Amino acid sequence: MFLVMRSLFGGYLESLKKPNYHSTGTTSCHGRSISRFSTASVAEELITPPVQITYTQNLINGQFVDAASGKNFPTYDPRTGEVIAHVAEGDAEDINRAVAAARKAFDEGPWPKMTAYERSRILLRFADLVEKNTEELAALESWNNGKPYEQAAQAELPMLARLFRYYAGWADKIHGLTVPADGDYHVQTLHEPIGVAGQIIPWNFPLLMFAWKVGPALACGNTVVLKTAEQTPLTALYAAKLFHEAGLPPGVLNIVSGFGPTAGAALASHMDVDKLAFTGSTDTGKIVLELAARSNLKPVTLELGGKSPFIVCEDADIDRAVELAHFALFFNQGQCCCAGSRTYVHERIYDEFIEKSKARATRRVVGDPFKKGVEQGPQIDAEQFDKVLRYIRSGIQSNATLECGGDRLGSKGYFIQPTVFSNVQDDMLIAKDEIFGPVQSILKFKDIDDVIRRANTTRYGLAAGVFTRSLDTANTLTRALRAGTIWVNCFDVFDAAIPFGGYKMSGIGREKGIYSLHNYLQVKAVVTPLKKAAWL
């Protein structure tokens, strides 16, 4: 498994480094050439994705079925804005049917009664099937989402398999404690599955978020009703088919595709859902939390937005810092909740950093995500595309300096030029709001106290990056910054065992690692009297 970002995304990054990115001109890809940061890479004939779309219905009780209403909705290719498939549009009735199937599978079915070892074996078989079907899953992910195929195939699919193997390893290691108590009593705690878990995943990393949610829930013995993002429903349905090939009993994993106000709201407010997990925007997270509270007060975990500071100190290796700051922001088209979207650079190296960041962004390869060597594909849809362009206009209007980019790329699809702003001030919208696009905002700071205060002046607290050669500086910053993950001289380091989640309005709870299991377990204390105990 790719252990850290240079391991999770390391193979992918190394493949992108093979061309000389410090030259001008073109890179040969599949026998053709693509121009860096130009419309040529977008205007070329697009590659036909090497996969057939087979699964477009909802999955309920082990069967692919049409929506109760009979309705479908289109899902699009963000390279062109054209429809690639029509998917069953689930609503409240489909959620009711899915929850009923999950409830029966939990109360009467074999999953929670199955030995933990057997559950583990099914998760492991699923991971094996993911590896056998990597090309199909990666192609679907890229086609429906717009992310580079190489990123999906070389980084995200290996991590998907690794995550499920990690949770498979936990399945038979979940246990309680024997607790000493005053008096003649035997006290033990049981860690029991919580029941039916409702889960809502986003569109930026559909397969990885599927794993972050489904993996720990199933390892703990729960059943699941998962709502996909309406923009990217295809890969979860394909993965669910593989899960049933691996031996997952009917009703244990149910998937409904649909929209937030209908299917999502019905799941969040359902009285027979025992636990809810949501990843998405902070504003939607508030609605989800309210619906859960107003129904049956189900516990909720939220992984929400971010505006993560990336702090480049005076002693940093500037070339490395520029490359890492570039990756921290532009990775996945900038559509990453923990993106290093506030780049704070010490005033003594600020001008040099700006020039090199501008040059790196200008060299970024933008184009058809199915072409070898492409670093950046299109934004997810027209709504996100328009939102990013509005923020770029806001940056210009607020007198930030537009160093490069600032417009769409090409005339078809949702491609945006890699954009860099300098002279950004903390009160500008581009420095405060989560843009979720390829827009780098670079701010200047004077000293450590200055940057700590400014970095923490945000409603978010998901992640932060620190780039320095000083251990003392690193220690000071990692303890002072109010964020759930601090990356030192690295960024986007993800591992199955590393917890992920935010402070403040970036969420509630943690995902991945041992902490994710806590979200899907109830703790029960069992007390029995002891008579003539040999010892206490």
Side-chain angles (χ1 to χ4, degrees):
M1 160 252 160
F2 301 104
L3 185 60
V4 293
M5 185 225 29
R6 290 194 61 85
S7 27
L8 165 57
F9 299 113
Y12 167 60
L13 287 175
E14 292 305 317
S15 72
L16 291 180
K17 288 182 179 179
K18 290 177 182 177
N20 179 10
Y21 288 118
H22 296 282
S23 66
T24 59
T26 61
T27 301
S28 176
C29 296
H30 295 303
R32 310 169 75 171
S33 64
I34 57 177
S35 301
R36 297 184 180 86
F37 197 78
S38 73
T39 57
S41 59
V42 179
E44 290 179 353
E45 181 180 351
L46 298 175
I47 292 174
T48 301
V51 63
Q52 295 293 320
I53 297 175
T54 305
Y55 306 101
T56 59
Q57 298 170 292
N58 292 322
L59 176 72
I60 297 177
N61 202 30
Q63 300 294 321
F64 285 102
V65 296
D66 291 333
S69 66
K71 293 181 180 179
N72 295 297
F73 68 94
T75 187
Y76 299 95
D77 181 348
R79 301 177 302 168
T80 63
E82 297 172 354
V83 176
I84 57 176
H86 286 85
V87 179
E89 183 180 336
D91 57 22
E93 178 57 30
D94 301 280
I95 291 294
N96 288 337
R97 294 177 182 183
V99 172
R103 172 57 59 196
K104 184 175 181 180
F106 184 79
D107 291 344
E108 304 174 20
W111 189 249
K113 300 178 178 66
M114 190 182 293
T115 66
Y117 174 62
E118 183 56 32
R119 288 202 301 269
S120 173
R121 293 179 64 193
I122 291 174
L123 295 177
L124 291 171
R125 286 197 293 268
F126 171 70
D128 292 341
L129 288 170
V130 165
E131 290 181 336
K132 291 179 181 178
N133 291 270
T134 288
E135 292 182 3
E136 292 85 353
L137 284 165
L140 274 180
E141 191 85 331
S142 294
W143 194 4
N144 206 185
N145 172 275
K147 67 178 63 202
Y149 173 82
E150 290 178 315
Q151 173 187 319
Q154 298 176 18
E156 295 182 20
L157 265 297
M159 182 51 130
L160 176 70
R162 176 64 178 96
L163 282 160
F164 275 99
R165 290 197 174 102
Y166 175 84
Y167 293 123
W170 269 114
D172 60 355
K173 300 171 187 67
I174 297 169
H175 53 76
L177 301 169
T178 301
V179 181
D182 294 339
D184 295 340
Y185 297 99
H186 173 75
V187 182
Q188 66 184 95
T189 60
L190 303 177
H191 291 183
E192 299 181 339
I194 199 167
V196 176
Q199 303 178 328
I200 302 173
I201 60 174
W203 48 258
N204 56 336
F205 293 97
L207 279 172
L208 289 181
M209 296 302 100
F210 174 91
W212 286 21
K213 298 289 189 294
V214 173
L218 295 187
C220 293
N222 300 279
T223 57
V224 171
V225 177
L226 178 85
K227 192 199 89 67
T228 61
E230 58 267 28
Q231 298 90 341
T232 54
L234 299 178
T235 47
L237 294 169
Y238 193 104
K241 170 254 186 187
L242 297 181
F243 240 131
H244 285 86
E245 283 186 25
L248 192 72
V252 174
L253 174 62
N254 305 273
I255 297 180
V256 176
S257 302
F259 295 88
T262 50
L267 185 60
S269 58
H270 204 289
M271 293 295 292
D272 212 18
V273 170
D274 300 305
K275 189 271 179 306
L276 191 67
F278 170 82
T279 295
S281 72
T282 295
D283 289 341
T284 305
K286 292 179 182 179
I287 297 171
V288 167
L289 188 61
E290 181 180 2
L291 291 173
R294 287 190 173 186
S295 53
N296 58 344
L297 207 63
K298 61 180 72 64
V300 180
T301 50
L302 301 171
E303 196 266 280
L304 306 175
K307 192 67 177 176
S308 301
F310 184 101
I311 299 171
V312 182
C313 297
E314 181 182 5
D315 63 347
D317 179 328
I318 295 181
D319 290 335
R320 287 192 63 221
V322 165
E323 184 63 33
L324 196 60
H326 177 87
F327 179 80
L329 186 283
F330 290 101
F331 171 65
N332 206 52
Q333 294 69 250
Q335 298 170 156
C336 190
C337 55
C338 58
S341 52
R342 290 184 294 154
T343 308
Y344 286 98
V345 181
H346 193 277
E347 59 185 5
R348 292 184 183 174
I349 59 172
Y350 187 81
D351 291 342
E352 181 182 357
F353 190 93
I354 292 294
E355 289 305 310
K356 291 183 174 180
S357 295
K358 174 182 176 180
R360 177 63 181 92
T362 305
R363 293 191 301 269
R364 187 167 184 80
V365 182
V366 185
D368 183 353
F370 283 96
K371 290 183 179 178
K372 185 176 176 62
V374 164
E375 296 175 277
Q376 181 178 316
Q379 308 309 121
I380 184 67
D381 60 14
E383 181 180 355
Q384 189 65 22
F385 175 81
D386 291 339
K387 173 188 172 185
V388 174
L389 291 178
R390 284 198 303 273
Y391 274 111
I392 290 173
R393 290 194 295 271
S394 169
I396 295 171
Q397 292 165 2
S398 61
N399 294 321
T401 302
L402 179 64
E403 297 287 347
C404 65
D407 205 348
R408 72 177 301 157
L409 193 58
S411 58
K412 191 175 186 180
Y414 308 123
F415 297 87
I416 292 179
Q417 295 173 349
T419 298
V420 176
F421 280 105
S422 64
N423 297 316
V424 178
Q425 305 302 313
D426 293 295
D427 61 352
M428 295 178 181
L429 287 181
I430 59 172
K432 295 193 299 182
D433 290 1
E434 185 179 34
I435 300 174
F436 229 59
V439 181
Q440 186 176 28
S441 299
I442 306 180
L443 305 91
K444 184 186 297 184
F445 76 92
K446 294 181 179 181
D447 54 43
I448 293 298
D449 291 338
D450 173 40
V451 79
I452 289 172
R453 175 185 57 80
R454 293 166 62 194
N456 284 335
T457 305
T458 174
R459 62 176 179 158
Y460 298 114
L462 190 56
V466 173
F467 212 89
T468 178
R469 293 174 176 173
S470 167
L471 180 61
D472 290 338
T473 299
N475 282 335
T476 296
L477 287 171
T478 53
R479 284 160 175 76
L481 295 173
R482 300 193 63 214
T485 300
I486 312 293
W487 287 297
V488 179
N489 295 331
C490 58
F491 207 87
D492 279 349
V493 178
F494 292 105
D495 182 275
I498 299 175
F500 185 79
Y503 285 31
K504 297 187 279 187
M505 293 181 73
S506 285
I508 300 170
R510 294 294 181 268
E511 300 198 82
K512 299 193 289 109
I514 189 173
Y515 297 93
S516 64
L517 303 176
H518 300 168
N519 301 329
Y520 296 99
L521 292 169
Q522 293 276 27
V523 178
K524 178 185 288 182
V526 180
V527 183
T528 57
L530 289 172
K531 294 183 179 180
K532 298 182 179 179
W535 52 269
L536 291 175

